[in-house]
Amino acid sequence: MEPMTADELTATVIERLQDTPDPRLLAVLTALIRHLHGFVTEVRLTQDEWLAAIRFLTATGQICDDRRQEFILLSDTLGVSMLVDLLAEPTSSGTAGFATESTVLGPFYVPDSPQREYGASILERPSGELTWYSGLVTDTDGNPIAGATLDVWQNADDMLYAVQNPDSPPDNLRGLFRTRDDGSFAFLGVRPTDYPIPDDGPVGQLLARTGRHPWRPAHIHVIVSAPGYQSVATHIFDSGSKYLTSDAVFAVKESLIRTFERHEPGTTAPDGVPPGQAWYSLRHDFRLSRTA
Ligand code: BEZ
Ligand code: FE
């Protein structure tokens, strides 16, 4: 006999999962069915709404390609990516003595950036206000970590990452750097600008239907890693952004906000800054915790 009530149907579906050999998969799927059925029951989802949801998810998949990942955007804008991040993160990180806090990876990370030398520029064409980024990678006691890797990427002043822009050199504004023996790193990049997440697809329609803006506060992305340490995917946010309190993807953490320092034309500038041009600098240290 088929189940007759909503509760019986939920119990029957969960019962059908019981031969799942992987205990974690069983636990996750059981909770998923319980919450999904609970949600459908709570809102008394209609046939039309169910069909609209199927169409929305279909459109979300259909707009994905090598350069566009709409499901990550959906997860980010629903706060799921940051919830996963918060649950993974030790609560005390970000404070003195603890590791640098993580935040969303986002959909524009592209592996295999070019390796670049200490102090090199990540600009492969003019892309914004030149900024000298420098700092140390240390352990949580402040001891320098030599040979740590920084994988950095940022958007240009047209608000696009290289991967979003077919006219951009593919490696513009991204690069891999290794810390020197004293744990130091440095590179020339640009001052980040606020930018909207792609809003010409299903996720953008959902934002518009719910009265939300698509903007992210200006930031640069860094993944810091070293053998024997937990790697961290993080951002440095610009304290001057007006979107720090309304990030479209909920990814701002207080400990990741920094103030960029402006240097007027004529001040001694790093290599790569043309004479007579203003530039910015940002010093930021990253702390990694040891793997267990
Ligand atoms: C990003 O920072 O690149 C990003 C993160 C989440 C959604 C869209 C973009
Ligand atoms: Fe970004």
Side-chain angles (χ1 to χ4, degrees):
M1 284 294 292
E2 292 303 318
M4 297 302 292
T5 67
D7 284 351
E8 283 170 1
L9 178 59
T10 304
T12 302
V13 177
I14 289 173
E15 179 57 33
R16 203 71 69 81
L17 297 170
Q18 293 314 304
D19 289 340
T20 307
D22 178 339
R24 174 66 182 162
L25 182 61
L26 176 61
V28 170
L29 287 177
T30 301
L32 176 68
I33 297 298
R34 199 163 11 90
H35 287 279
L36 200 53
H37 284 218
F39 157 73
V40 170
T41 306
E42 181 184 323
V43 302
R44 302 207 78 76
L45 200 69
T46 66
Q47 295 277 7
D48 285 350
E49 289 165 344
W50 175 83
L51 198 56
I54 297 289
R55 288 208 183 98
F56 176 83
L57 291 173
T58 303
T60 300
Q62 284 172 337
I63 205 170
C64 292
D65 61 21
D66 295 353
R67 289 169 168 257
R68 175 125 184 200
Q69 227 310 348
E70 194 80 354
F71 278 108
I72 293 186
L73 270 190
L74 182 58
S75 164
D76 293 342
T77 52
L78 294 180
V80 175
S81 308
M82 278 314 289
L83 185 55
V84 172
D85 173 83
L86 289 173
L87 294 172
E89 176 115 339
T91 50
S92 45
S93 62
T95 54
F98 292 92
T100 295
E101 288 195 286
S102 57
T103 188
V104 288
L105 183 66
F108 302 128
Y109 173 64
V110 179
D112 302 322
S113 275
Q115 190 82 48
R116 302 189 195 266
E117 295 300 311
Y118 176 90
S121 172
I122 59 173
L123 283 80
E124 299 199 348
R125 68 173 186 182
S127 303
E129 297 174 303
L130 294 173
T131 300
W132 178 250
Y133 291 89
S134 65
L136 294 175
V137 178
T138 71
D139 65 15
T140 49
D141 296 323
N143 303 305
I145 303 175
T149 299
L150 288 91
D151 191 342
V152 304
W153 68 106
Q154 64 175 158
N155 60 300
D157 54 1
D158 62 4
M159 302 196 289
L160 299 175
Y161 288 86
V163 68
Q164 292 176 279
N165 185 354
D167 298 331
S168 169
D171 290 334
N172 191 40
L173 295 182
R174 66 196 203 102
L176 288 171
F177 293 87
R178 271 195 204 292
T179 53
R180 303 192 294 188
D181 286 349
D182 62 354
S184 62
F185 69 87
F187 61 91
L188 191 65
V190 293
R191 184 166 180 190
T193 60
D194 299 331
Y195 67 86
I197 63 170
D199 63 349
D200 56 344
V203 170
Q205 286 163 14
L206 188 60
L207 290 180
R209 287 280 303 269
T210 52
R212 288 172 58 185
H213 73 67
W215 289 86
R216 294 220 60 208
H219 60 273
I220 178 169
H221 295 254
V222 190
I223 299 175
V224 190
S225 57
Y229 295 87
Q230 281 174 24
S231 56
V232 63
T234 189
H235 293 9
I236 305 169
F237 289 97
D238 187 332
S239 65
S241 171
K242 66 177 179 188
Y243 293 111
L244 287 170
T245 54
S246 66
D247 184 2
V249 302
F250 310 99
V252 180
K253 293 180 178 177
E254 187 78 38
S255 71
L256 305 180
I257 302 172
R258 289 288 178 278
T259 298
F260 286 68
E261 190 178 345
R262 182 179 162 90
H263 304 270
E264 294 308 327
T267 50
T268 310
D271 282 352
V273 177
Q277 192 169 311
W279 56 287
Y280 290 85
S281 65
L282 184 89
R283 202 202 131 90
H284 186 68
D285 296 341
F286 298 94
R287 291 187 303 266
L288 300 183
S289 48
R290 286 200 171 276
T291 43

